[in-house]
Amino acid sequence: MSHALIVIDVQNDFCPGGALAVPGGDAIVAGINALMAETDTVVLTQDWHPAGHSSFASSHAGKSPYDVIDMAYGPQVLWPDHCVQGSAGAAFHPKLDTTRAQMIVRKGFRTGIDSYSAFFENDQTTPTGLDGYLRSRGITTLTLVGLATDFCVNFSATDAARLGYATTVRSDLCRAIDLDGSLAAAQSGMQAAGVTLT
Ligand code: VGL
Ligand code: ZN
């Protein structure tokens, strides 16, 4: 039973001062560094959008951040421009110790589709390749931490559980956006999918 720690989107734009700041987003960095230091296999994810990405409200005339639109693949929340490829906002938090990461998964890089999950884009079918990577390394148990609890951590954890990984989310090392009850919905969704929430 090999284990991996998946650190979701600990990037400047999701921390205080960033374009899509998650309250307390930077408060989890030290704890994540400590957990990485005692974990053999560490994977990081990085939200990585081209300018003009379809998840940005600015790409849709008359729309504002946090409006919801219907995309071909289903409803999509519109966000402030964030994590634009190569920008300072897309960089990892400067205090995140990335040295021991064995794999960095970038996601959301196709203009027409968002990707909350580290495993599948928001059509819930296009793979990122992470499942193949973990499976071919014989990894069967996962711990997830990072940002944001109710979006990218939630989608990654439920996909991981559905893919058959024994999945734990360390809630103390996550922070949420919490739009209209999205945190409570994410917590019950993760529990229903068989994710262990601590
Ligand atoms: C995320 C909204 C948009 C996340 C990424 O990392 O949770 N949320 N893009
Ligand atoms: Zn994003």
Side-chain angles (χ1 to χ4, degrees), residues 75-155:
Q76 170 70 49
V77 179
L78 297 178
W79 304 105
D81 291 21
H82 65 278
C83 296
V84 173
Q85 296 174 356
S87 68
F92 292 114
H93 187 282
K95 295 222 166 87
L96 187 74
D97 180 3
T98 63
T99 51
R100 293 188 57 263
Q102 295 178 352
M103 170 75 165
I104 298 175
V105 180
R106 288 175 167 168
K107 59 187 182 61
F109 49 73
R110 291 192 180 89
T111 301
I113 184 166
D114 207 0
S115 186
Y116 294 146
S117 169
F119 293 96
F120 296 103
E121 299 189 3
N122 283 11
D123 60 2
Q124 295 176 313
T125 39
T126 307
T128 62
L130 180 58
D131 180 43
Y133 174 80
L134 296 172
R135 216 167 274 279
S136 62
R137 291 195 51 184
I139 288 162
T140 54
T141 75
L142 300 178
T143 298
L144 278 77
V145 299
L147 304 171
T149 321
D150 41 347
F151 287 92
C152 291
V153 175
N154 170 35
F155 281 74

